[in-house]
């Protein structure tokens, strides 16, 4: 019988520990993870990239929902552990969930410290620690103009850069005279400040905040010297505090954080702590690299692997704020028994300082050119004797080239400081697994998987190891990390070789991971279903979790149920039935959705199929990669400006195109006149009714990246609209990359390509016929699930 391992926390350090445990012995424990955020495990370091618009929330997930299921991990999300019962070996959450454990890991991380000044609880005052914090900052940037970031450390400057990128005027308030005083000396900090000022960032140095003022929302900040600054948003980036309340309440030894020994064991032998909430030899770490080192040690210990225990970490920081490269490690400021080697190039804006004691490097500060960082930090960690090095070019051997030189790096030199990955580990993985791209190396070793700043060095090691076999362009064409083949090559091979199943595709085409990954599994299922609608049986297990469950999982673990309402229309009987069902199942929220439908939100998992049955309505597919809805105005039926029956056309389109899988979700709009009340010009397929017919538009998008449609053509009858819509959707189905919306698809293949194809009547008829053939193989989702006992089991809730 397997022991039960419970983790309080679902953050980076905790999840890394679970990954390492599974890697060593996947059958040793039944694992439960309890997280108080409603998201899967994500890369907190990358929140600044999301804020800066470089990536999205979905793209920073380290492990998606499928990972927990694939590894048989029970995830209790959006619940907060309020009690640990030591004698019973149980934890209890704020929602009453009770989980027993044999071994317990506390990985509760830390929280943003909020200065306890008057006004700290006003609307518009946030920390910068979570997805919700980041979303709040992005929302504020969309409505307001002035922001203040309190704290000129690493996190504060990243936040300020992101808010600048979103168009806000940003002041950074800092208590001390120098930015990033923990990582930089005065000279480097001055260069950083100068460069950031050039980019528009404003600084208020040596200012102590005494009050945040405003009525309901923040209006400004006052300082101890009597000055003030106006703002609409305040971001607190003044440090973090370990989350130790649950440990302290339980009676575990807690100082600044939870005290642990070298195997991360707390004062209770069955309880361990890892990450920012743990204090080892008097130090609570806040950078990811030491937290991952702790995770690996704990995984070794809990799986019986030999370990020398955690011995503490020497810290280094590599940062890039808007093009400003810096690196620091070890000691920053000189003392009586250290000497400094300093090289400053005012022309290029670079600064390099190495602190030396007894012929050994004890500290490194680099600004403007951080390419020597890894090499110098390696010398620091190894305590290398530098007698043979010249200091004229900052510790290069005479005649040696400056900059990145992976050939001379020893195997034990660290390449990825975040994840503790050495050159030897990367080279070994390249040779053992036949890796050829950065993403493949990242998948296998995790190098570059956090902040990503070591990508250049990883690619240099790839090039050095593979020689002429390294093809930098292969990175671009690969469908996922499992293969270097592009989407088009995979689809062509499926057709040419007659491949029938995802497993066969992976085996025949030599995918490196026999089981595939979270990217290629749903993609292959889609391509096979699209190519072979008659023969291929949909593999529900490979779909993303919302599609498997036929409903969107909400942040508290409940579900939304949104029935189909063609063209946004309903009937008195349907409305009465929805109301009765909502009352019967105590649905907490009934709301008109943005797609002109009625949604039931907060539905308990076990009630989902019962509500489907009681509603007796079709699924609205509000969770799927297919047509979501057709938005239309009332048109000529009621509106005096309406030129055609846009409502009737919208209903026909929705009835004809619903259910069929597409590479991504699709939305259609039908406006009854050029006033465009149905916002047709920002839909995947838009129709604007005019006196003499119907203007057709393609490739529009709303949301974060708005794209106005391109004009396709004008047709004269509703039947022609339907024919063109089916042909267009089928062309998108056959040539789109899985996960690609029509807006980037149109830009990728070219608007003129689509226009030429859909100007060919024979090709239009052929595409539309293939679409109709595919549609005939689909069945309505909720009705199909209700007659399938195995699928209904998905909604069973186990009581533990």
């Amino acid at each position: 019988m397997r022991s039960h391992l419970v983790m309080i926390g679902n953050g980076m350090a905790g999840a890394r520990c679970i990954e390492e445990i599974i890697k060593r012995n996947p059958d040793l424990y039944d694992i439960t993870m309890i997280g108080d955020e409603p998201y899967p495990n994500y890369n907190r370091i990358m929140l600044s990239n999301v804020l800066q618009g470089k990536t999205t929330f979905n793209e920073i997930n380290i492990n998606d929902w499928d990972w927990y299921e694939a590894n048989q991990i029970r995830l209790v999300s959006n619940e907060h552990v309020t009690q640990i019962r030591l004698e019973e070996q149980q934890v209890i959450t704020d929602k009453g969930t009770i989980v027993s454990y044999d071994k317990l890991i506390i990985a509760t991380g830390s929280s943003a410290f909020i200065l306890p000044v008057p006004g700290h609880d006003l609307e518009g005052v946030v920390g910068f620690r979570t997805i919700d914090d980041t979303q709040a900052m992005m929302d504020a940037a969309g409505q307001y103009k002035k922001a203040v970031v309190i704290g000129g450390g690493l996190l504060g400057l990243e936040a300020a850069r992101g808010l600048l990128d979103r168009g806000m005027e940003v002041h950074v308030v800092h208590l001390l005279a120098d930015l990033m005083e923990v990582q930089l000396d005065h000279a480097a900090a001055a260069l950083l400040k100068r460069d950031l000022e050039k980019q528009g960032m404003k600084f208020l140095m040596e200012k102590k905040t005494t009050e945040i003022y405003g009525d309901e929302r923040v209006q400004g900040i006052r300082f101890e010297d009597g000055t003030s600054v106006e703002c609409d948003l305040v971001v607190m980036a003044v440090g973090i505090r370990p989350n130790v309340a649950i440990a302290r309440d339980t009676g575990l030894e807690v100082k600044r954080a939870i005290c642990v020994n070298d195997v991360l064991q707390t004062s209770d032998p069955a309880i361990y702590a890892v990450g920012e909430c743990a204090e080892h030899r008097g130090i609570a770490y806040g950078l990811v690299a030491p937290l991952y080192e702790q995770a690996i040690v704990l995984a070794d210990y809990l799986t019986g692997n030999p370990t020398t225990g955690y011995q503490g970490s020497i810290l280094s920081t590599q940062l890039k704020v808007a093009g400003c490269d810096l690196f620091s490690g070890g000691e920053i400021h000189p003392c009586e028994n250290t000497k400094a080697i300093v090289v400053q190039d005012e022309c290029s804006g670079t600064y390099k300082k190495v602190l030396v004691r007894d012929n050994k490097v004890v500290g490194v500060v680099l600004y403007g050119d951080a390419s020597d960082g890894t090499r110098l930090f390696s010398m620091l960690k190894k305590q290398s004797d530098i007698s043979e090095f010249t200091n004229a070019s900052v510790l290069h051997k005479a005649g040696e080239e400056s900059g990145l030189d992976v050939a001379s790096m020893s195997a034990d030199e660290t390449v990825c400081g975040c994840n503790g990955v050495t050159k030897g580990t990367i080279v070994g993985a390249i040779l053992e697994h036949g890796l050829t791209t950065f993403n493949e190396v990242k998948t296998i070793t995790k190098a570059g998987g956090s902040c990503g700043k070591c990508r250049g060095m990883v690619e240099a090691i790839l090039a050095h190891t593979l020689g002429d076999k390294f093809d930098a362009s292969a990175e671009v064409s690969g469908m996922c990390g499992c293969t270097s083949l592009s989407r088009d090559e995979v689809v062509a091979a499926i057709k040419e070789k007659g491949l029938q199943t995802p497993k066969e595709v992976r085996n025949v085409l030599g995918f490196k991971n026999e089981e595939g990954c979270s990217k290629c599994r749903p993609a292959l299922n889609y391509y096979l279903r699209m190519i072979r609608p008659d023969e291929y049986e949909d593999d529900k297990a490979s779909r993303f979790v919302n599609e498997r469950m036929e409903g969107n999982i909400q942040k508290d673990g409940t579900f939304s149920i949104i029935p189909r309402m063609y063209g946004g229309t309903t009937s008195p009987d349907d409305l009465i039935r929805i109301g009765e069902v909502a009352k019967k199942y105590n649905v907490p929220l009934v709301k008109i959705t943005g797609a002109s439908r009625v949604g039931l939100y907060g539905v308990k998992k076990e009630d989902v199929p019962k509500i489907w049955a009681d509603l007796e309505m079709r699924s609205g597919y509000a969770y799927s990669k297919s047509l979501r809805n057709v938005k239309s105005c009332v048109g000529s039926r009621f509106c005096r400006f309406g030129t055609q029956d846009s409502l009737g056309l919208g209903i026909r389109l929705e009835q004809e195109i619903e259910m069929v899988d597409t590479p991504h979700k699709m939305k259609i709009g039908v406006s009854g006149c050029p006033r465009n009340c149905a916002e047709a010009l920002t839909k995947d397929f838009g129709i604007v009714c005019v006196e003499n017919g119907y203007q057709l538009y393609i490739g529009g998008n709303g949301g974060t990246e708005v794209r106005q449609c391109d004009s396709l053509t004008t047709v004269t009858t509703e039947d022609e609209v339907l024919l063109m819509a089916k042909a267009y959707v089928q062309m998108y189905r056959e040539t789109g990359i899985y996960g690609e919306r029509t807006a980037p698809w149109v830009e990728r293949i070219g608007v003129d390509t689509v226009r030429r194809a859909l100007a060919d009547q024979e090709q239009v008829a052929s595409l539309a016929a293939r679409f109709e053939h595919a549609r005939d193989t689909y069945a309505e989702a909720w009705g199909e699930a209700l007659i399938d006992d195995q699928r209904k089991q998905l909604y069973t809730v186990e009581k533990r």
Side-chain angles (χ1 to χ4, degrees), residues 23 50 85 110 142 179 190 219 256 261 264 315 334 449 484 514 549 559 582 622 674 697 720 732 755 779:
K23 189 188 300 181
V50 175
R85 293 173 177 166
S110 61
L179 298 173
Q219 295 176 330
R256 183 171 183 271
N261 60 20
L264 290 310
L315 301 180
S484 61
E514 291 184 1
M549 302 301 287
F559 286 75
Y697 296 87
E720 288 177 284
Y732 171 48
R755 285 174 178 152

Side-chain angles (χ1 to χ4, degrees), residues 183-184 188 317 325-329 350-354 364-374 376 394:
Q183 292 88 11
L184 300 180
T317 301
D325 284 301
L326 62 90
F327 180 95
S328 75
T350 60
Y351 172 83
K352 301 183 180 184
K353 183 176 82 174
V354 177
V364 181
V365 179
L366 306 175
Y367 181 80
D369 176 8
S371 59
D372 285 315
T374 299
L376 293 171
V394 192

Side-chain angles (χ1 to χ4, degrees), residues 141-195:
Q143 300 180 53
Y144 302 100
K145 296 298 183 185
K146 297 180 179 178
V148 166
V149 176
I150 302 179
L154 187 154
L155 194 63
L157 297 179
E158 293 273 19
R161 180 66 259 175
L163 294 171
L164 271 180
D165 289 344
R166 290 186 175 273
M168 297 195 84
E169 177 186 342
V170 183
H171 281 89
V172 176
V173 175
H174 197 50
L175 184 63
L176 302 178
D178 291 324
L179 298 173
M180 294 188 66
E181 70 281 353
V182 176
Q183 292 88 11
L184 300 180
D185 63 5
H186 176 72
L191 288 171
L192 173 64
K193 180 169 174 286
R194 183 196 66 182
D195 287 345

